[in-house]
């Protein structure tokens, strides 16, 4: 393989990687925060809220599946900030997972998070 071909392939791979990372970024998602009045001032209260109901707390994961890496934990009764919801692996019959925005972007199963107020928007 020539040097030019290798450099071209590297450039294409880097551009593709940037698209994948950018496409998965919550910051690029729709600005539908679930507000009744459409007000947006950048403060923490713009996220949806939920309360953890799992008796021993809830493992927070890097993907919406039970087999993905645990990257955090939320205690029983803790109020969490929810960015959006998506379908994932079913947990006790519930396929929904919430993308939480409490310092680390992590997924928590909706089976063990009760909504406080309106249901989160779709991711």
């Amino acid at each position: 393989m020539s040097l030019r071909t290798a450099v071209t392939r590297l450039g294409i791979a880097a551009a593709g990687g940037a698209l994948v990372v950018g496409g998965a970024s919550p910051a690029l998602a729709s600005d539908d925060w679930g507000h009744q009045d459409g007000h947006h001032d950048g403060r923490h209260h713009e996220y949806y809220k939920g309360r953890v109901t799992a008796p021993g707390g809830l493992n927070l994961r890097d993907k919406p599946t039970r087999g993905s890496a645990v990257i955090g934990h939320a205690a029983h009764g803790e109020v969490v900030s929810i960015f959006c919801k998506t379908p994932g692996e079913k947990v006790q019959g519930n396929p929904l997972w919430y993308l939480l925005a409490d310092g680390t972007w992590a997924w928590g199963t909706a089976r063990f998070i009760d909504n406080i107020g309106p249901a989160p928007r779709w991711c």
Side-chain angles (χ1 to χ4, degrees):
M1 173 174 11
S2 73
L3 178 60
R4 182 175 177 178
T5 303
V7 170
T8 301
R9 286 185 179 176
L10 180 61
I12 291 169
L19 287 174
V20 169
V21 171
S25 171
L28 298 177
S30 166
D31 194 19
D32 174 15
W33 296 91
H35 286 291
Q36 302 300 325
D37 63 2
H39 181 68
H40 175 74
D41 64 7
R43 289 188 292 195
H44 184 70
H45 71 273
E46 294 173 347
Y47 296 112
Y48 300 89
K49 295 290 183 185
R51 185 175 312 278
V52 175
T53 61
L58 184 62
N59 285 331
L60 306 179
R61 300 184 179 273
D62 69 346
K63 295 181 183 116
T65 64
R66 289 185 288 185
S68 63
V70 175
I71 59 173
H73 186 82
H76 174 79
E78 183 177 339
V79 174
V80 293
S81 297
I82 304 168
F83 183 75
C84 60
K85 65 184 174 188
T86 195
E89 181 181 353
K90 283 185 181 180
V91 176
Q92 294 183 3
N94 188 333
L96 296 179
W97 287 72
Y98 293 151
L99 179 57
L100 305 181
D102 292 317
T104 300
W105 292 92
W107 294 96
T109 176
R111 169 62 184 88
F112 293 110
I113 301 174
D114 284 347
N115 295 328
I116 299 172
R121 68 183 184 91
W122 291 98
C123 295

